[in-house]
Structures are given as structure tokens and as C-alpha cells.
Amino acid sequence: MGEFELIRQYFAAASCAQAGEGVALGIGDDCALLELPAGEQLAVSTDTLVAEVHFPESADPFLLAQRGLGVSVSDLAAMGATPIGFTLALTLPRAEPTWLQAFACGLDRMAQACAVRLIGGDTSRGPLSLTLTVFGRVPCGRALTRSGARVGDLLCVGGELGDGAGALPLVLGQRQAPAAIAEPLLARYWSPQPQLALGQALRGKATAALDISDGLLADCGHIAAASGVALLIEQARLPLSTALLALLGTSGACDCALSGGDDYLLAFTLPPEHLADLQAQGWPIHVIGRAEAGAGVQLLDQRGQRITPQARGYQHFGSDGD
Amino acid sequence: MGEFELIRQYFAAASCAQAGEGVALGIGDDCALLELPAGEQLAVSTDTLVAEVHFPESADPFLLAQRGLGVSVSDLAAMGATPIGFTLALTLPRAEPTWLQAFACGLDRMAQACAVRLIGGDTSRGPLSLTLTVFGRVPCGRALTRSGARVGDLLCVGGELGDGAGALPLVLGQRQAPAAIAEPLLARYWSPQPQLALGQALRGKATAALDISDGLLADCGHIAAASGVALLIEQARLPLSTALLALLGTSGACDCALSGGDDYLLAFTLPPEHLADLQAQGWPIHVIGRAEAGAGVQLLDQRGQRITPQARGYQHFGSDGD
């Protein structure tokens, strides 16, 4: 048995590969088998992370696995889906037990947090990269897509923006900060928490949704284009964390919030009549603008002037990694 | 818009991304949405191919895409599933239009041959590799697994064995052969045809099945272990192609058939009472042995002697690529 066969068995034994609703057959055959309740659809998303493009090759394997799975499951949250399982295609130059054990632990941590189960995958020798494919279920016709925003809807986000991008210089060791500032930002970067419950609560209420990965401006551009509306963002209403403001000041924090990526919070459009009920239920919903007739994204700056921003297309860790 | 965003749009426009049963939402949102008919399960499999591990970096992109998708869909055939869709996570060092166009054409060719649709994916910059995740549907409880073989079942394969492994020296340019020999072998290597119809015909009849990817001995070992039986292979009954025999002679051809991988034909166990009907229907079924009480794989060699072969664990293109 080759060392890579051993790796497969190692993952198969991890607790994230045990039991789980909706999984009729897990790891070990030619295919896994998933079951869907009647009246539900399967949501599927695939993401690849490549060393030295999306993360430093020296990244802590626990944090890398945790972040990788969190980022992928965030796509399920953006559709209002309930997670079922995921596959992991892991390519690595060599099998190092310490690295693998930490990676499997990080995967397990996030899998348990998201109630999602490892159902299969592949392990190859080669340059370090991981491809995660996640599966969820959503009632037929109730998935949140990008295309339903209507003029008059409120533009909302699910939390404080920009922390992931603000953390990047800390991640790369290009900058230092006191623990009270660095820790919350690094936690947002390395342990993104997919807003699964919020996504599910928005089904039948939000008219369009996605998770912010490329930066607020770029991602709002996707909703605007798919829905055929313009989106106006009011800069003064951007929710910003104390830590980000302390690190970068108001202007730098706003830049991160608008053009930084790696937030993995939901952005969505909401007919105004649903706002009060959802906020009364305690959901973290921040109104940051509205949908108007037109196209593209506009920004109402701090002085109350409308400008058409250049979405700079956040490049995450490397350049044009996509 | 970055060049990698353009690549995504290129694939999204390919005909394999158009229309298709069971796909409620395709490329372009946070997730794709699949639908399953009532009473069916979803079969899922993931495979990664890494340059210089599973294929030469200089491989023809049309052939690479065709082969990659064929190999992945073969896992659906092994479960008796009907293909629905697939995702492609493509990592490549740079965006070369000629390479990409040929790759997309090869993908399209195999997608059409298998009636499977591109539903999503990811494109990254990095060392060349592809991860394909395929989706199919199968009636609940009718999937062919590896674990149901019973003592007395016949051991069968779906065609002539060893051609893929026999082609490898030709693929690598280590050996030359006349066109009449090289062409059929290279076709088997570069254009594996998943035995989807055979897999579906075997539902409710075969007791265990898989597709031969690691070599007959190794893969029969998987069925034997999962089912708790021994499998006896009669060497004299191995179906071998004229081209393979012409290239390697009987002994070399047998070696390829037993220990070579890359066949992507079905191997399965069949209660004897089903054989005549299936053969009368024209299915290419070759009986090569039987299931016995015990464990592991035994070989009845040309002289009628039982030996316990060492499954050499075929290494495909590189070493321990898995």
C-alpha cells in the first residue's frame, strides 16, 4: 500500500467522515451516494486553492484546511442551502504525518461547525493544492440566486466588512499589530464562519444573494448585472469593526470593506417590508444601500456625492489567482 | 476582467454547458442546482490529474480533456449511474487561447459522448492540474457497489484488457509501432469510453462492480476485500486485443491485462443465471473467473497452477501518483 493510500484511509477515519444525514454511501466505493428529500434540489460548488497563489506554501495546515472548507461552504450559505457533504481533492508533494494530522484536524473542526461530512475525494502527489466540492440541499425553487433583485429593494450585508482583507498584511507577516487588534482580524481570515443560518432565514425574503469573496463592489456588480438593476452603496453605512478601524483608520477600513475580498459574509437585496421582522429575530443585518433603476454599482461617498467606483478586483493572496 | 475570468466565460459558452436534464441552474451563480427524480440517489466521484504525475505536461490538450472526463465518468458507469453533470477545477500556469480552445473541444467531445453537462467549476493560476467531479443518478438501492459479491458468482469484465497500459510506452514516446497496432491502443488510452450502458444493464444483476483503473489484480482485490470472498482469475480466459498481442506477445499482454491500469472497463461479479440473457442481448461480457470462499485474489496460470499473485499497484504515468 502506497503512502497516498494511507492518507486516504487517514481521512476516511476522521470524524468528519462518520455518519450524516443524506449520505447513503460515503468514502470507499467508485462513487458516494447522496439522498435528497422529496421537493429539494442539490446545491453544488467547487473551489480550488493553490499554494503560493491563494495561500503561502508555509501556511499552518490546521488553519488552511479550516479556511478552505469554510470558504467553500460559504457558497452553500449564499444559496440558502443546508450542507450535506463535501469531497476533497488534495495534491501534496509528500506525505508528512504531522502536516496531515493538523490538516485533518482543521478540516474536522470546520466540518463539525458546518455539520457537513467528507464523502469522498482523491489524493495525488504534486504541487500543494486543494479542491473542495460542497453539497447542500434547498427546497425546490427557494434557492437564493443573484438574479432577483428589484428596484426599491434594500441592499444589506450580514456583518462587519473588510476584516479578511485587513488581516492579509498580518497573515503575510508584512505588518504587526497588538493582539487586541490582530487576533479578531486573523480569526476572520483563517476561520471564516459561513452564514448558513442567515442564508436559510433569507429564503423567500431576500430577492438576490451571494457571499462576498471578491470584494463588496465587485460582488455587488455581479448582483446588479444578473438582476438588471443598479446598486447604490452608501459609504457612511458600511459596518466596520473596531479592530479594522484601529488598524487602518476610517479611510483604509472603507477601502478594505469596498474592494477587499475574503469577507465570506452574505450580501443580499431585501424588500423593505421584511427588514423589521428579520432584525427583530436578531439576524445581523446591516442596510448599506438600495437597488435602483439602471446598471452597475454606484457609491454615495462620505460627502454625499455619487461616484462610479472602479471595482479593483481583489486578488486575494497572489495576483490574478482567481 | 482578468484573463481567468475570460476562461470561465469561455467554458460557460461551450456546448457542454448548454441545456441538460436534471440541471436546474448551471454555471454563473454561487452554486449549481441539480434535481433528482423521486426514488433516485445522486452518485458523486472526484478525480485529480496532475501534470508530470498523471500525464506529461506537453500532452495534447484535446486528448487530455477527453481522457480526463472519460476516466471520471467511468466511475459513474461502475455504479450503474446515468450521468447528469460535472464540475471542472482547472489550474494552469497561463491562459493560452490555442491550448484552451483545444481543451474545451476535447471536453465537449467526451461530454457529448457521455451526455453529461458542465455545471460549474473554478479556474486558477498555478501548476497544471485538473480536478473533475462527476454527478449521476441511480434508482435508490440499485447502485452497483463493491461489496455484494457472493461465492459462486462469475467474475466478468466488459472488454479486452491491458490496452491502456500497453499504450503507455507509445504515449511517452519510448516505443514506436506500426499504425495498425499503435492507433487502436492509443485510442483506448486517450479516449476511454465509459461503459455507461453496460453498468445500467447490470443493475439488479451484478452483485459487485468497479471500473478497472489500478489494474485487474489490484481492483479485483478491492472487490474481494469489500465483499469478503476470494476471486479466482483464469489467465487463459483473459480477453486480449489483437493489437496488444501483436505489440507485446502473449506473456507481455497478460502482464498488462493483470497489472496494467488505465483500462476503464467494468469488472463485476455475476450470478451464473444472468449470464446467458445478458450475452444474448449483445453485451460484451467476458467470464474470466469466479468468486470462491476465502480472501484475496488467486490466479490460475496457463499451466493450470494456482498462484497468489503480487498485485504490483500500477503507477499510471508517474510513480505513486495515486
Side-chain angles (χ1 to χ4, degrees), chain A residues 17-66:
Chain A
Q18 310 303 311
E21 203 186 347
V23 182
L25 184 66
I27 292 172
D29 217 299
D30 292 284
C31 292
L33 294 173
L34 300 182
E35 282 172 343
L36 269 184
E40 304 221 338
Q41 293 172 316
L42 188 86
V44 178
S45 178
T46 293
D47 284 297
T48 296
L49 297 176
V50 180
E52 297 306 315
V53 175
H54 299 101
F55 62 89
E57 177 120 28
S58 62
D60 179 297
F62 180 97
L63 296 175
L64 173 63
Q66 183 179 260

Side-chain angles (χ1 to χ4, degrees), chain A residues 16 19 27 35 81 98 145 161 189-190 195 241 263 302:
Chain A
C16 60
I27 292 172
E35 282 172 343
T98 313
T145 68
L161 301 171
Y189 185 88
W190 283 119
Q195 298 195 291
S241 74
D263 278 318
Q302 302 281 19

